Amino acid sequence: MPGLDSLPSHPWLMAAWAACFGACIGSFLNVVVFRLPRRQSVVTPPSRCPSCQARIAPWDNLPVVSWLLLRGRCRRCRAPISLRYPLVEAFTAALAVLCVLRFGATAHAASAFTLLCCLTAIALIDWEHMIIPDPLSLGLLAVGLLLAPLCGPGLWRALLGAVVGGGLLLVVGLVWEKARKVEAMGGGDVKLMGAVGAFLGATGALLTIFLGALLGAIYGTAVLRRGGQAKVAFGTFLSVAAFVVVFLGRELVRWYAAAAGLAR
């Protein structure tokens, strides 16, 4: 069996290792998504069944596999286990593989995976609770600035990205609130875009805001046409937009430059 230092020369083995690692991170994200909005510790107590409070044994806590073996039910009380748990684990496994395939076995891949995992938790929490917890947004901002000199856009570009991303949403929110007398932008969205800007720079932050607004507008219009109330969890759409920018940002910028006649 090749060692970790030889994984880059064995793409399938590297992908399998990345998938296993990503699924384990997804298992932890499930804990974060459930506990953090409820102001509970994500470290203690150990994972328990929310129905009968029985502690989940290690062999029943294997990402994806345990849910399939248990047929989606608690071993003790047979209460159903949400499908979200294996889906998040499978999703983060796929994310890890995509990051390695896109960026190689590099620090850049690890940085992108860190950003995307946090955005996954933020998207799910904001969709369900309409909040973005500060430990996620501010923690992500701090990590982005720390990693910027090593595998990001560089410290100054990261700082500029944080200011542009968070500052633009802050200004738009203040102007809208003053003009319409209603709150347009939550503080969580501002902090989130500061963090995204720290990872992706000013151009990436602007592209994320544009795509997020576009996705939110499409969703809101669809809901209104069905006669519902369009209460948009903007952080979720910003997170989805940032996913697109991480993997396709450069291509989108080049396409726009060419379409606008700006490319040389």
Side-chain angles (χ1 to χ4, degrees):
M1 177 70 71
L4 289 178
D5 57 343
S6 62
L7 284 180
S9 62
H10 298 79
W12 289 108
L13 182 58
M14 180 174 62
W17 182 88
C20 292
F21 176 76
C24 291
I25 297 299
S27 182
F28 176 69
L29 286 186
N30 278 322
V31 176
V32 171
V33 170
F34 181 83
R35 295 188 183 184
L36 204 56
R38 295 170 174 83
R39 298 182 181 275
Q40 299 175 4
S41 170
V42 299
V43 179
T44 59
S47 297
R48 298 178 183 274
C49 170
S51 297
C52 67
Q53 298 301 309
R55 181 173 176 177
I56 299 176
W59 50 85
D60 286 338
N61 209 20
L62 299 175
V64 182
V65 176
S66 291
W67 190 91
L68 293 173
L69 293 177
L70 292 169
R71 297 182 180 181
R73 293 187 176 275
C74 171
R75 182 181 294 275
R76 175 170 292 187
C77 70
R78 306 307 297 166
I81 303 172
S82 174
L83 181 61
R84 186 184 72 187
Y85 290 94
L87 288 180
V88 169
E89 292 161 356
F91 181 70
T92 51
L95 276 183
V97 173
L98 285 173
C99 285
V100 169
L101 293 178
R102 182 71 169 85
F103 306 111
T106 62
H108 189 182
S111 175
F113 182 66
T114 299
L115 171 63
L116 296 177
C117 283
C118 287
L119 290 177
T120 299
I122 288 171
L124 292 172
I125 291 173
D126 196 33
W127 185 263
E128 182 177 358
H129 301 277
M130 298 295 291
I131 60 171
I132 300 176
D134 283 347
L136 283 177
S137 57
L138 295 180
L140 189 60
L141 172 60
V143 171
L145 294 176
L146 287 173
L147 293 179
L150 303 175
C151 51
L155 182 57
W156 292 114
R157 289 186 178 181
L159 286 170
L160 178 61
V163 171
V164 169
L168 178 59
L169 282 195
L170 179 61
V171 170
V172 170
L174 291 175
V175 171
W176 185 269
E177 184 175 349
K178 187 172 183 179
R180 301 295 296 271
K181 308 302 180 184
V182 293
E183 184 179 1
M185 203 70 60
D189 298 324
V190 173
K191 298 168 191 172
L192 169 61
M193 280 312 306
V196 171
F199 275 88
L200 303 181
T203 302
L206 292 173
L207 186 55
T208 298
I209 293 173
F210 172 77
L211 291 176
L214 178 62
L215 292 173
I218 293 172
Y219 171 78
T221 301
V223 171
L224 289 174
R225 285 185 175 179
R226 292 183 179 181
Q229 293 184 350
K231 192 175 183 181
V232 178
F234 194 33
T236 299
F237 294 102
L238 288 173
S239 298
V240 173
F243 271 72
V244 177
V245 174
V246 167
F247 291 113
L248 299 173
R250 291 182 180 178
E251 288 78 4
L252 289 174
V253 170
R254 289 171 185 167
W255 171 81
Y256 177 80
L262 301 175
R264 294 181 179 178

